[in-house]
Amino acid sequence: MRTDTPWSTLPAREHLLAAAVGAPVLDVVIPVYNEEKDLETCVLRLHDHLARTFPYGFRITVADNASTDRTPEVAARLAALIPEVRSYRLEEKGRGRALRTVWSHSDSPVLAYMDVDLSTDLNALLPLVAPLISGHSDLAIGSRLARSSRVVRGSKREFISRAYNLILRSSLAARFSDAQCGFKAIRREVAQRLLPMVEDTGWFFDTEMLVLAERAGLRIHEVPVDWVDDPDSTVHIVRTATDDLKGVWRVGRALATGALPLDRLVRPFGDDPRDRAVPGVPRGLARQLVGFCVVGALSTLVYLVLYSLFRLGVGAQFANAAALLVSAVANTAANRRLTFGVRGRGGAVRHQAQGLVVFAIGLALTSGSLAALGTASGSASHGTELAVLIAANLAATVLRFLLFRAWVFPDRRTDHQDARQGAAHELRNAR
């Protein structure tokens, strides 16, 4: 997986009109391979539509990835005749490679692409990019699977598309509805951070880009589209499906192991209204409490199940220690990622070691409670043991959250921002 992206956070989203002076607001890329017959018709139709309906400056870029027919000549002729058209030649195949290369070199603040067959109704183009221009969203996709979409295609392709998106939802927890529609857009500053992390150079490029963006918390806008299948499509369905499944496995493994630095795609503090300060409540506390309670409830269930299983063969103290140890490791890992938003492998071992110290404190509380119960009642029932353990775990949970927040996962970003704000304040006073 690629990780060579800048370390600073993304800038806050803003309306792009003021920031786009001197460059076309929109750059629409058409990736092609051996499309000498359809390319000219596509470009002329798209240019006519944009000239009539798009209210801002635009550019059309033909990304020829290693065509062996007359496609490069057609693209060069169109670029010479039409000022808003340019051509870009790559010597290697791969739609993902073509998009990454052209998008990485474009100076337009909004980058889009569509397939050369123009299967998608062009009336959806302005609704696709408008949320990106306004600063509302980071990425936008056309969806053929939305309820209001109107789609004409064969049952085979319909089944494959829906099955693939079902796989994405079940394996990668994807929430977007259509990963494969060739009709997408992205803000340039997002592309600069996101594209180096996307490894695929073929048809899985779209899916990988969307999954990583969604996991990083970026906003993806979906537009229902009208779409007519191209019966002359040269896409090899079986090979593409096989490559996609391999990509799903690769991305899923990377996400599970924390190998991707998705924190580099985080928007700055305050851009998300959920992060805004609430009077009397430390920043982020409300959301952390919710996440901690959810993780804690699941961890408690796991703990009780494990304790009951271990108790069948060993004593109460050993069963309690073993169940608490297993659930504590899982609890620390879950809170690290879900509650406190720590991504990547950095510091994972240290966090688990600190979590074990917190575990030891919880063990002392619960073991002490069991010992006190044994002294008070001699031989207590299993139900009484569970009731005492639940009460002790509630006390340990409060202490665990305080230690996690203040010691294991402190908000270093907030400290850094406060330091910068203090330095800026001193500089203004000095002036």
Side-chain angles (χ1 to χ4, degrees):
M1 283 291 176
R2 302 168 181 263
T3 59
D4 51 334
T5 58
W7 277 104
S8 58
T9 58
L10 282 167
R13 286 189 298 264
E14 61 180 8
H15 200 289
L16 290 175
L17 290 182
V21 176
V25 172
L26 174 65
D27 191 351
V28 182
V29 180
I30 305 175
V32 293
Y33 174 73
N34 290 347
E35 298 286 354
E36 62 179 5
K37 295 181 179 179
D38 298 329
L39 179 57
E40 182 172 354
T41 303
C42 165
V43 171
L44 292 178
R45 180 182 165 195
L46 175 59
H47 180 268
D48 176 70
H49 177 82
L50 288 171
R52 288 186 296 103
T53 65
F54 195 70
Y56 313 116
F58 66 89
R59 177 191 299 128
I60 300 172
T61 302
V62 179
D64 171 34
N65 45 316
S67 292
T68 57
D69 62 359
R70 294 181 57 254
T71 297
E73 300 174 22
V74 177
R77 185 176 74 252
L78 291 168
L81 292 175
I82 307 174
E84 292 84 7
V85 176
R86 71 175 183 177
S87 62
Y88 200 105
R89 168 74 176 182
L90 291 89
E91 299 302 328
E92 294 181 89
K93 291 179 61 177
R95 183 180 69 170
R97 178 181 287 108
L99 291 175
R100 175 163 47 234
T101 302
V102 176
W103 280 354
S104 298
H105 290 85
S106 179
D107 58 353
S108 295
V110 175
L111 312 169
Y113 96 87
M114 61 181 59
D115 293 334
V116 69
D117 55 20
L118 295 185
S119 296
T120 304
D121 181 14
L122 292 178
N123 287 326
L125 182 55
L126 183 56
L128 181 80
V129 301
L132 307 188
I133 295 174
S134 69
H136 175 271
S137 301
D138 298 295
L139 298 91
I141 65 174
S143 175
R144 300 162 297 182
L145 302 181
R147 289 187 176 182
S148 56
S149 299
R150 293 180 294 181
V151 177
V152 179
R153 62 175 167 179
S155 57
K156 180 180 179 180
R157 285 183 176 271
E158 180 76 12
F159 172 78
I160 292 175
S161 180
R162 292 189 177 275
Y164 179 64
N165 283 280
L166 180 61
I167 291 173
L168 293 181
R169 289 177 177 270
S170 59
S171 61
L172 298 179
R175 296 190 298 273
F176 47 85
S177 65
D178 191 350
Q180 295 174 311
C181 182
F183 195 68
K184 296 181 176 68
I186 185 172
R187 287 173 64 103
R188 185 181 61 176
E189 77 271 14
V190 176
Q192 289 174 342
R193 306 292 182 86
L194 179 58
L195 297 185
M197 298 185 194
V198 180
E199 184 174 319
D200 191 79
T201 59
W203 293 95
F204 187 70
F205 173 88
D206 302 48
T207 301
E208 187 170 355
M209 178 181 68
L210 291 174
V211 169
L212 299 187
E214 189 174 71
R215 287 299 184 94
L218 298 179
R219 180 174 292 161
I220 301 175
H221 178 73
E222 294 198 22
V223 177
V225 297
D226 297 340
W227 194 86
V228 179
D229 191 14
D230 178 15
D232 298 324
S233 175
T234 58
V235 178
H236 193 288
I237 296 179
V238 176
R239 183 172 64 246
T240 301
T242 301
D243 292 341
D244 286 347
L245 292 177
K246 292 179 181 178
V248 169
W249 168 255
R250 174 176 53 80
V251 172
R253 183 176 57 185
L255 292 173
T257 58
L260 291 166
L262 297 180
D263 55 322
R264 303 181 194 181
L265 296 172
V266 174
R267 287 290 181 183
F269 184 85
D271 192 54
D272 188 337
R274 295 172 299 176
D275 288 333
R276 292 174 186 166
V278 178
V281 180
R283 287 184 289 186
L285 178 60
R287 186 163 44 170
Q288 289 178 357
L289 279 172
V290 173
F292 185 81
C293 289
V294 172
V295 173
L298 295 176
S299 298
T300 300
L301 291 176
V302 172
Y303 163 77
L304 293 175
V305 171
L306 291 175
Y307 176 81
S308 299
L309 292 175
F310 293 152
R311 191 67 177 86
L312 297 176
V314 297
Q317 291 288 3
F318 183 84
N320 173 62
L324 197 58
L325 176 61
V326 174
S327 60
V329 172
N331 180 278
T332 300
N335 275 308
R336 181 179 188 270
R337 173 64 179 86
L338 301 177
T339 303
F340 298 97
V342 180
R343 301 179 176 89
R345 298 179 180 180
V349 175
R350 174 173 57 83
H351 292 154
Q352 282 293 349
Q354 292 173 309
L356 289 177
V357 174
V358 178
F359 150 76
I361 297 174
L363 178 62
L365 284 173
T366 54
S367 297
S369 299
L370 283 175
L373 176 64
T375 301
S377 60
S379 179
S381 66
H382 181 64
T384 303
E385 287 182 354
L386 288 179
V388 170
L389 287 174
I390 290 174
N393 266 286
L394 288 175
T397 297
V398 175
L399 182 60
R400 186 184 304 120
F401 176 76
L402 296 176
L403 290 174
F404 273 179
R405 181 176 170 85
W407 179 47
V408 184
F409 307 111
D411 190 355
R412 303 185 188 280
R413 181 182 62 178
T414 300
D415 296 339
H416 180 63
Q417 289 175 340
D418 291 342
R420 285 192 302 177
Q421 293 173 357
H425 180 68
E426 293 179 3
L427 181 60
R428 286 194 297 271
N429 290 339
R431 289 178 180 175

